[in-house]
C-alpha cells in the first residue's frame, strides 16, 4: 500500500487563514479593475461596429462600483445606464415620444431585429476583455504575494 507524507500543510493553512482579512479587499479591487477593463472593451467594440447614432449608448456604458456577493462570487454588472431620449432619423437628431432604456438599445443592436442585422458587439467585447484581463489580474496577485503579507 502506498503512503504519502505532506509537510508544511498546517503552516500553509495558518497562512491562508491570516490572509483572509487582507484578501477580500484585494479581490474587490481586482473585480473592479476587471469591470473597468470590460467597460472599456464594450466601448471599443461598440465603436468598432459603428453603433454611434447619438453616442448616448456608448457614453452610458458603466459598471456597478459596489460589489455584489452572490454564491461565493463577487459581481459587478456592466451595461449601458439611463434612457435614450433622442434618436436620429434621416441624419437629424429628433426627440423620442417615449424614452427607451439604453440597455434595451444595446440588446437590440447586439441581437438585431427583422429590419436590423445583429452585430454581436458584446461577444467581441468579451473576447477583447478575455485577452486583456487575466494578465493584469495575475500581475496584481503576484504583487500581493511579493509584498510578503
Amino acid at each position: 500500500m502506498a503512503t504519502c507524507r505532506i509537510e508544511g500543510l498546517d503552516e500553509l493553512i495558518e497562512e491562508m487563514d491570516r490572509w483572509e482579512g487582507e484578501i477580500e479587499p484585494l479581490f474587490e479591487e481586482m473585480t473592479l479593475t476587471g469591470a473597468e477593463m470590460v467597460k472599456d472593451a464594450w466601448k471599443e467594440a461598440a465603436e468598432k461596429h459603428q453603433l454611434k447614432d447619438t453616442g448616448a449608448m456608448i457614453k452610458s456604458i458603466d459598471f456597478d462600483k459596489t460589489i455584489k456577493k452572490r454564491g461565493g462570487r463577487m459581481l459587478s454588472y456592466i451595461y449601458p445606464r439611463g434612457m435614450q431620449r433622442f434618436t436620429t432619423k434621416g441624419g437629424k437628431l429628433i426627440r423620442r415620444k417615449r424614452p427607451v432604456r439604453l440597455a434595451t438599445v444595446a440588446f437590440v443592436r447586439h441581437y438585431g431585429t427583422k429590419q436590423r442585422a445583429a452585430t454581436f458587439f458584446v461577444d467581441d467585447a468579451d473576447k477583447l476583455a478575455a485577452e486583456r484581463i487575466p494578465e493584469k489580474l495575475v500581475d496584481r496577485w503576484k504583487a500581493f504575494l511579493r509584498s510578503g503579507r
Side-chain angles (χ1 to χ4, degrees):
M1 179 180 275
T3 59
C4 180
R5 182 177 174 174
I6 299 173
E7 292 183 24
L9 187 59
D10 292 332
E11 291 84 11
L12 178 61
I13 291 171
E14 286 175 19
E15 183 75 16
M16 290 175 78
D17 286 342
R18 189 173 61 84
W19 280 0
E20 189 173 342
E22 299 173 21
I23 215 161
E24 189 166 331
L26 173 69
F27 285 166
E28 287 179 4
E29 174 192 331
M30 291 170 73
T31 301
L32 292 175
T33 300
E36 181 72 38
M37 294 177 79
V38 171
K39 176 183 100 168
D40 294 342
W42 266 58
K43 289 183 177 191
E44 189 176 324
E47 289 174 1
K48 178 183 152 199
H49 286 276
Q50 300 172 347
L51 302 180
K52 188 176 183 178
D53 288 341
T54 64
M57 185 191 71
I58 294 173
K59 286 182 210 167
S60 73
I61 296 170
D62 206 358
F63 62 94
D64 296 334
K65 306 297 191 270
T66 55
I67 303 292
K68 291 167 182 56
K69 296 174 185 170
R70 301 227 170 93
R73 302 170 107 187
M74 292 185 181
L75 305 171
S76 179
Y77 296 106
I78 302 138
Y79 60 93
R81 313 295 168 116
M83 304 291 277
Q84 184 175 30
R85 290 174 170 70
F86 294 93
T87 189
T88 56
K89 197 171 205 174
K92 294 182 181 180
L93 191 66
I94 59 169
R95 189 170 193 66
R96 288 181 176 269
K97 290 180 183 177
R98 290 188 188 142
V100 146
R101 290 183 66 227
L102 289 164
T104 303
V105 172
F107 181 89
V108 169
R109 294 294 175 90
H110 179 75
Y111 290 108
T113 64
K114 287 181 181 179
Q115 294 83 22
R116 184 186 295 258
T119 62
F120 302 109
F121 80 97
V122 177
D123 295 341
D124 291 346
D126 289 343
K127 287 176 189 169
L128 280 172
E131 293 169 1
R132 299 174 184 169
I133 291 173
E135 183 179 336
K136 182 141 182 137
L137 297 185
V138 165
D139 290 345
R140 180 63 185 102
W141 178 249
K142 286 180 179 178
F144 172 78
L145 293 177
R146 279 193 299 268
S147 70
R149 293 184 178 189

